C-alpha cells in the first residue's frame, strides 16, 4: 500500500457490476452498472466498467489516478463467469498501470457489507445464483464495529436446502437477490472492511483469477457434447 489516499474497488459477480472510490472507510463516489434504459446490462459490461471508473474519479476531482490510487480491490466471486472475468481483468490492468497492489475479497461478503441501507453486525447466509436451480452460499459473520467479516468456505446449495424459517429462528438472515435482504454484492462494501482486506495481503498479480465457483456454461455444454474435459 502506498501513501496515495484512495482505494479503487470493483465488483462483477453479477450483471449488476459496480465501482467505488474509497478514502479511509468512506465511499467518495460509486457507480452501479446499468443499461441505457436503466435495466441490468447483460452485454457490454466491459464497455460500461471503464466509463464508470472515470466518472468516479472525475466526481472526486481526480485527474491523474496514478497519483491518487494507492490500492485496487476486486470482488473475487463466485458468480457470473463473464462478469467476473471482465472485472478481474480490468482490476489487474489498473493495478499494473497504477503500480499498486491488487487485493481480493469474496463477493458474498460484499453482498453483506455493501447492502443499502447498511446492515447491522450479525450472522448472515449470503447467496448468489449459481444457475441450475442452485446457489453459491457462505456463512458470513459481520462485525461493523471491528470492520471485519469472517466467512466460512463457499459451497453450493439447492433451493430445498434453504430453510429460511429455521435460520431465522437462530438469528441468521438470508441475504441475496430475492431473499429476506434483497441485495447484490457491491463495490462500496469494501469500505467498512478495508483495513482487514489490506491486512490479509495482496494477491499475486500475475497468477490471480476470480473464483468462478463452477465451470462456465459454454464449457459445460462443450464437455457434454464431446464427452471429455475441455482442458487436461
Amino acid at each position: 500500500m502506498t501513501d496515495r489516499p484512495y482505494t479503487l474497488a470493483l465488483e462483477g459477480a453479477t450483471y449488476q457490476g459496480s465501482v467505488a472510490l474509497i478514502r479511509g472507510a468512506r465511499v467518495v463516489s460509486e457507480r452501479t452498472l446499468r443499461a441505457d434504459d436503466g435495466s441490468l446490462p447483460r452485454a457490454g459490461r466491459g464497455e460500461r466498467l471503464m466509463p464508470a471508473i472515470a466518472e468516479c474519479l472525475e466526481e472526486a476531482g481526480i485527474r491523474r489516478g496514478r497519483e491518487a490510487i494507492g490500492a485496487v480491490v476486486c470482488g473475487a466471486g463466485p458468480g457470473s463467469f463473464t462478469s467476473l472475468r471482465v472485472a478481474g481483468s480490468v482490476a489487474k490492468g489498473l493495478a499494473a498501470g497504477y503500480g499498486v497492489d491488487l487485493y481480493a475479497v469474496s463477493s458474498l461478503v460484499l453482498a453483506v457489507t455493501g447492502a443499502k441501507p447498511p446492515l447491522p453486525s450479525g450472522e448472515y447466509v449470503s447467496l448468489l445464483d449459481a444457475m441450475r436451480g442452485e446457489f453459491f452460499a457462505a456463512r458470513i459473520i459481520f462485525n461493523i464495529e471491528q470492520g471485519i467479516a469472517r466467512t466460512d468456505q463457499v459451497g453450493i446449495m439447492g433451493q430445498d436446502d434453504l430453510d429460511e424459517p429455521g435460520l431465522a429462528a437462530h438469528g441468521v438472515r438470508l441475504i441475496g437477490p430475492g431473499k429476506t435482504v434483497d441485495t447484490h454484492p457491491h463495490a462500496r462494501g469494501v469500505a467498512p472492511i478495508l483495513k482487514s482486506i489490506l491486512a490479509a495481503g495482496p494477491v499475486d498479480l500475475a497468477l490471480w483469477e476470480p473464483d468462478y465457483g463452477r465451470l462456465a456454461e459454454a464449457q459445460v455444454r462443450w464437455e457434454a457434447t464431446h464427452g471429455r474435459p475441455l482442458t487436461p
Side-chain angles (χ1 to χ4, degrees):
M1 183 72 175
T2 72
D3 58 358
R4 303 174 200 169
Y6 293 94
T7 296
L8 180 63
L10 289 71
E11 164 52 37
T14 68
Y15 290 123
Q16 189 169 302
S18 54
V19 177
L21 188 64
I22 298 163
R23 186 167 190 171
R26 181 173 66 91
V27 177
V28 177
S29 58
E30 64 177 75
R31 291 292 185 276
T32 301
L33 303 188
R34 295 277 181 179
D36 292 337
D37 62 0
S39 63
L40 300 184
R42 292 181 174 269
R45 283 156 284 190
E47 289 83 353
R48 296 184 183 277
L49 188 58
M50 292 304 293
I53 294 170
E55 289 173 8
C56 285
L57 295 175
E58 182 178 359
E59 188 172 300
I62 297 173
R63 295 186 178 180
R64 294 175 59 87
R66 180 179 288 274
E67 297 172 357
I69 304 301
V72 176
V73 179
C74 188
S80 164
F81 183 90
T82 302
S83 297
L84 282 171
R85 194 169 186 86
V86 168
S89 297
V90 171
K92 292 174 75 170
L94 288 171
Y98 290 147
V100 299
D101 287 329
L102 173 63
Y103 299 79
V105 58
S106 169
S107 298
L108 289 165
V109 167
L110 295 182
V112 176
T113 60
K116 258 189 175 181
L119 295 175
S121 297
E123 185 175 339
Y124 300 86
V125 172
S126 183
L127 302 172
L128 283 173
D129 184 14
M131 304 184 71
R132 308 171 205 168
E134 296 177 323
F135 301 89
F136 298 117
R139 175 173 168 263
I140 312 293
I141 300 176
F142 178 40
N143 188 314
I144 193 170
E145 290 80 14
Q146 296 181 10
I148 58 175
R150 299 194 305 275
T151 178
D152 285 348
Q153 185 173 0
V154 174
I156 294 180
M157 301 175 66
Q159 184 64 51
D160 293 341
D161 299 322
L162 301 178
D163 180 10
E164 191 161 352
L167 291 170
H170 290 87
V172 180
R173 302 173 70 187
L174 282 181
I175 180 168
K179 302 307 174 186
T180 302
V181 182
D182 188 353
T183 189
H184 295 73
H186 200 286
R188 61 174 169 258
V190 167
I193 56 171
L194 178 58
K195 285 186 178 180
S196 63
I197 293 172
L198 299 181
V203 302
D204 186 321
L205 194 59
L207 301 177
W208 179 79
E209 286 193 9
D211 173 15
Y212 301 111
R214 66 187 342 163
L215 299 178
E217 288 296 306
Q219 183 171 345
V220 171
R221 290 194 295 271
W222 190 96
E223 292 182 353
T225 300
H226 294 82
R228 61 182 176 85
L230 181 60
T231 55

